[in-house]
C-alpha cells in the first residue's frame, strides 16, 4: 500500500506526501531568495532552438564554455556541452507559474521524475514524483539571446537546496547570482550537472564528489 496518511500533508485541500510538501516548500524558498517575482516566464531564445523550464533543448555543436576541472576524471568536453538528459514527464506537460496551485513539478523551470523514495511497512516500494532539475538560464549557453526581463539575482539558499536529495541538475547560467556555491550541494549524490556560467559568484568551488560530471562556471 501507499505511505500512511500520517506521512501526508494538505496543500489546497489535497493530501500530498511529506516528500512533496517538503520539496514544494524548498522551491518556494528558492523563488523568494532569488527575486522570483521578477523572473520572466518560460521563453524560447530568438532562434527558437531552445526552450527553457526543464523541457527539451537542442544545443548547437559549436557552443563554447568556461570550464573548471575539479578532478582529472571529470568529463569536461573540449568544445560543446553534452546533451542534457530530457525527463520524460516534462516533454509535453504544460508549465505553470511558480507558487501556483498545480503540482510543483508542473511549475516553470522545474523537471521531475517518478522515483522510488522508500519502502512501506508491507515491504512495498513507495514512489513519488521528485525534483530532478532546476533549469533557469538568463540566456543561451554562449551568453547570447538573453531572456527578456529575466532577473534571477541573490544568493542561493544552500540549506534548502541541499535537501533536494534527488536533484541531478541545476542550471542558472548568465544571471545575477552572487555569493558562493553552497557547500551543501556536495552532499547531493545524484547531482551530475551544475552550470553557473556568467554570474557574479565569488569564493572557492566546493570539492564535489565523483558523481558530478559537468561543472560550468
Amino acid at each position: 500500500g501507499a505511505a500512511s496518511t500520517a506521512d501526508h500533508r494538505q496543500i489546497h485541500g489535497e493530501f500530498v506526501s511529506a516528500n512533496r510538501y517538503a520539496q514544494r516548500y524548498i522551491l518556494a524558498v528558492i523563488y523568494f531568495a532569488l527575486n522570483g517575482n521578477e523572473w520572466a516566464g518560460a521563453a524560447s531564445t530568438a532562434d527558437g532552438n531552445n526552450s527553457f523550464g526543464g523541457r527539451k533543448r537542442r544545443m548547437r555543436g559549436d557552443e563554447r564554455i568556461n570550464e573548471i576541472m575539479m578532478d582529472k576524471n571529470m568529463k569536461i568536453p573540449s568544445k560543446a556541452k553534452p546533451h542534457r538528459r530530457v525527463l520524460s514527464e516534462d516533454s509535453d506537460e504544460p508549465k505553470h507559474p511558480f507558487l501556483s496551485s498545480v503540482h510543483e513539478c508542473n511549475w516553470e523551470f522545474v523537471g521531475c521524475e517518478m522515483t522510488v523514495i522508500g519502502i512501506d511497512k508491507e515491504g512495498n516500494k513507495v514512489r513519488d514524483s521528485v525534483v530532478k532539475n532546476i533549469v533557469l538560464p538568463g540566456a543561451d549557453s554562449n551568453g547570447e539571446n538573453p531572456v527578456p526581463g529575466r532577473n534571477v539575482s541573490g544568493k542561493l539558499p544552500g540549506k534548502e537546496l541541499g535537501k533536494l536529495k534527488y536533484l541531478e541538475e541545476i542550471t542558472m547560467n548568465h544571471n545575477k547570482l552572487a555569493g558562493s556555491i553552497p557547500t551543501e550541494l556536495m552532499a547531493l549524490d545524484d547531482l551530475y550537472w551544475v552550470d553557473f556560467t556568467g554570474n557574479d559568484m565569488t569564493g572557492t568551488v566546493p570539492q564535489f564528489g565523483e558523481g558530478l560530471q559537468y561543472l560550468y562556471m
Side-chain angles (χ1 to χ4, degrees):
S4 68
T5 304
D7 294 326
H8 287 60
R9 304 289 188 275
Q10 277 193 318
I11 296 178
H12 299 288
E14 173 193 1
F15 277 105
V16 300
S17 66
N19 170 75
R20 272 203 58 205
Y21 191 88
Q23 70 183 13
R24 193 176 182 91
Y25 168 78
I26 292 168
L27 290 171
V29 170
I30 293 171
Y31 177 88
F32 288 113
L34 301 183
N35 202 29
N37 62 331
E38 293 192 21
W39 296 352
S44 297
T45 54
D47 61 10
N49 285 338
N50 295 329
S51 65
F52 301 128
R55 302 180 185 182
K56 292 182 179 179
R57 180 173 74 169
R58 295 201 305 271
M59 305 189 76
R60 294 174 7 203
D62 63 347
E63 288 179 344
R64 297 295 186 266
I65 58 175
N66 293 321
E67 305 162 354
I68 292 180
M69 182 175 286
M70 296 299 302
D71 184 278
K72 65 181 180 181
N73 296 318
M74 186 175 289
K75 300 174 183 177
I76 299 292
S78 59
K79 292 184 179 181
K81 291 181 182 178
H83 288 278
R84 295 166 46 250
R85 185 166 73 88
V86 177
L87 300 178
S88 59
E89 293 182 4
D90 292 330
S91 58
D92 298 313
E93 286 289 337
K95 289 294 182 178
H96 298 267
F98 245 72
L99 308 185
S100 60
S101 62
V102 302
H103 195 299
E104 63 277 5
C105 288
N106 290 329
W107 289 353
E108 293 175 327
F109 322 119
V110 177
C112 295
E113 191 170 57
M114 191 64 69
T115 301
V116 175
I117 64 170
I119 305 294
D120 67 13
K121 292 184 293 185
E122 286 76 37
N124 300 309
K125 294 179 179 178
V126 177
R127 301 176 184 272
D128 208 351
S129 190
V130 300
V131 175
K132 286 287 189 175
N133 63 18
I134 300 174
V135 182
L136 187 53
D140 66 22
S141 55
N142 289 325
E144 301 172 353
N145 300 313
V147 180
R150 180 65 52 82
N151 184 23
V152 182
S153 59
K155 297 181 180 180
L156 291 166
K159 179 180 177 181
E160 286 74 23
L161 273 173
K163 293 179 180 178
L164 290 175
K165 63 181 181 178
Y166 301 101
L167 190 67
E168 294 182 352
E169 172 195 0
I170 179 168
T171 293
M172 293 187 178
N173 58 292
H174 297 97
N175 285 300
K176 300 175 183 177
L177 296 179
S180 58
I181 298 177
T183 57
E184 289 87 352
L185 295 181
M186 293 189 296
L188 300 179
D189 294 335
D190 292 346
L191 190 65
Y192 81 97
W193 180 295
V194 174
D195 188 353
F196 293 131
T197 310
N199 283 284
D200 299 319
M201 304 180 80
T202 59
T204 59
V205 178
Q207 295 290 326
F208 288 97
E210 295 181 357
L212 187 72
Q213 298 294 303
Y214 304 101
L215 175 62
Y216 306 99
M217 292 293 294

